[in-house]
Amino acid sequence: VTTRLLRVDESPSAITDAAQVLRSGGLVAFPTETVYGLGADAFNERAVGSLFEAKGRPMDNPLIVHIADFFQAVELAADVPPLARELAAYFWPGPLTLVLSHNGKIPPVVTAGLPTVAVRMPDHKVALDLIRECGGGIVGPSANTSGKPSPTRAEHVLDDLNGKIDIILDAGPTKKGIESTIVDVTVDPPVILRLGSLPQSVIEDHIGKILLTEDDSFLRRAPGTRYRHYSPRAEVVLLNEADAATLETLIESELAAGKRVGCLLHSLEHAEGKNLRVIRLNGIEAISRMLYDAFRRLDEWQSNIIIVESTDDPELGPTVMDRLRRAAGYSGVPSPTAK
Ligand code: TXA
Ligand code: MG
């Protein structure tokens, strides 16, 4: 297929066209406040099947249904507990996905046969307009090739999925840059299955203590977090402490080994040089918003190794560190003084 990239602000019929494509079983990438999603009509099993194929996504990894109205969640759920209503009232539209028990209306290809369905109302006008025009829920996994970092710009989607999907709705870079927080509300207290752009601390400010699923409690996790994920091609090394001497030593030894070295820094500084690129991200919002874009830029530059500074921000810090640990395969470089 030919993939059409439509700038939403320049083509007034873009959303109507895209909704038409969805209704006839096509695939449309669309912006949300977190990352770009790849949309298909949630009730069209063939369309959803072709979405798995376009992404190269394992069929046992369920999809999030994107809705524009709380009533659409109620329609799919076997039960909407009071706590789910409360969370939806506080945080929708927004970067929160709720896992609810479903009533069988949603096709099993969407839920990978699970008794639950994940639902979210994105906080983006284009996404909401598209869902409304389409008329029903649309599934929306991140619009990347499976295994690559999620796309935060339309160009990222084009890089991964050109020729495999019908339309990309381009509305510029996304505001948050990291995926939604997934909360299982079928249990009490609720459990976070995936940290995301809505900080755990902010959720707890509203409803009190909630649990964070253990990384090794395999079955309690969002199935998708099992796969190598959120990571660039290059090896990622996490600097546990903002320690200029450790950074310097590491850069020198990698350069000496003939590597192309990328750095993602926020408090430390380092000059660029031959085979050495430095991306500075100022503040936790920028780190979160630009992380995947930086991974992709450094991959394009063909870095062999990416050295990333840790963050201990009280709100988004745990989310960013979750993605960094996954990207690093959980390895870190302890500071020599920390032993
Ligand atoms: O911010 C986001 O959530 C983005 C935007 C596009 O909305 N979407 C996104 O979708 O990140 P995806 O498919 O890349 O990640 C969805 C995650 C996967 O890890 C999947 O396993 C999990 O949600 N998931 C989906 N349905 C589930 C369910 N019923 N129970 C547990 N986890 C579920
Ligand atoms: Mg994804």
Side-chain angles (χ1 to χ4, degrees):
V1 293
T2 310
T3 302
R4 285 191 293 155
L5 188 117
L6 304 178
R7 273 183 230 278
V8 177
D9 56 353
E10 286 171 9
S11 50
S13 69
I15 293 177
T16 319
D17 291 355
Q20 177 56 44
V21 164
L22 286 176
R23 281 195 301 269
S24 49
L27 303 179
V28 173
F30 62 98
T32 79
E33 80 280 33
T34 58
V35 300
Y36 274 77
L38 181 57
D41 176 353
F43 296 93
N44 183 330
E45 296 189 50
R46 276 188 50 183
V48 176
S50 72
L51 181 150
F52 276 94
E53 201 169 309
K55 274 184 61 80
R57 179 180 178 110
M59 298 287 293
D60 65 352
N61 191 1
L63 305 172
I64 299 172
V65 180
H66 290 60
I67 58 172
D69 188 317
F70 180 71
F71 180 67
Q72 291 179 289
V74 178
E75 276 218 301
L76 296 179
D79 175 40
V80 186
L83 218 99
R85 288 175 195 277
E86 218 172 304
L87 285 170
Y90 278 131
F91 297 115
W92 277 358
L96 170 71
T97 294
L98 296 177
V99 170
L100 299 161
S101 53
H102 68 72
N103 57 15
K105 281 190 195 149
I106 192 78
V109 65
V110 172
T111 61
L114 293 173
T116 54
V117 62
V119 192
R120 131 167 159 89
M121 192 191 295
D123 186 16
H124 197 295
K125 187 175 183 321
V126 172
L128 294 170
D129 286 350
L130 181 68
I131 297 162
R132 287 194 191 104
E133 285 246 8
C134 179
I138 62 183
V139 293
S142 50
N144 51 291
T145 299
S146 205
K148 289 245 236 156
S150 293
T152 57
R153 300 170 171 269
E155 300 79 53
H156 298 163
V157 181
L158 196 65
D159 285 344
D160 282 14
L161 299 175
N162 194 12
K164 296 181 173 170
I165 65 177
D166 300 291
I167 290 180
I168 302 171
L169 292 175
D170 181 357
T174 60
K175 209 166 58 189
K176 301 278 186 190
I178 291 185
E179 302 84 352
S180 63
T181 303
I182 304 180
V183 179
D184 182 350
V185 284
T186 66
V187 287
D188 192 3
V191 176
I192 295 188
L193 302 181
R194 177 180 75 181
L195 290 167
S197 277
L198 183 64
Q200 178 171 2
S201 58
V202 172
I203 301 176
E204 290 181 333
D205 286 345
H206 286 280
I207 62 163
K209 183 77 189 151
I210 59 179
L211 305 177
L212 175 60
T213 187
E214 296 290 322
D215 265 317
D216 51 10
S217 74
F218 192 75
L219 291 171
R220 302 264 344 122
R221 285 166 18 186
T225 57
R226 254 186 257 150
Y227 302 100
R228 183 180 148 86
H229 220 130
Y230 313 113
S231 46
R233 210 171 39 228
E235 182 193 348
V236 172
V237 171
L238 207 45
L239 271 185
N240 290 330
E241 282 177 31
D243 172 348
T246 308
L247 175 65
E248 184 61 39
T249 311
L250 192 57
I251 289 175
E252 287 311 319
S253 73
E254 295 298 331
L255 287 175
K259 303 272 180 67
R260 288 166 72 82
V261 182
C263 295
L264 285 183
L265 305 178
H266 56 91
S267 75
L268 295 171
E269 295 195 37
H270 201 286
E272 294 201 310
K274 186 170 183 290
N275 292 335
L276 175 61
R277 258 190 83 175
V278 177
I279 297 179
R280 292 256 321 169
L281 302 170
N282 284 310
I284 188 71
E285 258 80 43
I287 296 173
S288 166
R289 192 174 64 246
M290 299 300 292
L291 179 66
Y292 293 151
D293 181 70
F295 278 169
R296 281 176 180 260
R297 274 189 285 157
L298 290 174
D299 265 349
E300 220 163 276
W301 179 73
Q302 300 197 306
S303 67
N304 303 106
I305 181 161
I306 303 177
I307 303 171
V308 191
E309 215 184 315
S310 297
T311 163
D312 59 2
D313 182 86
E315 293 205 330
L316 278 173
T319 295
V320 168
M321 290 306 294
D322 171 80
R323 300 304 190 270
L324 291 179
R325 289 198 189 97
R326 287 174 198 288
Y330 296 92
S331 74
V333 176
S335 139
T337 55
K339 290 231 172 78

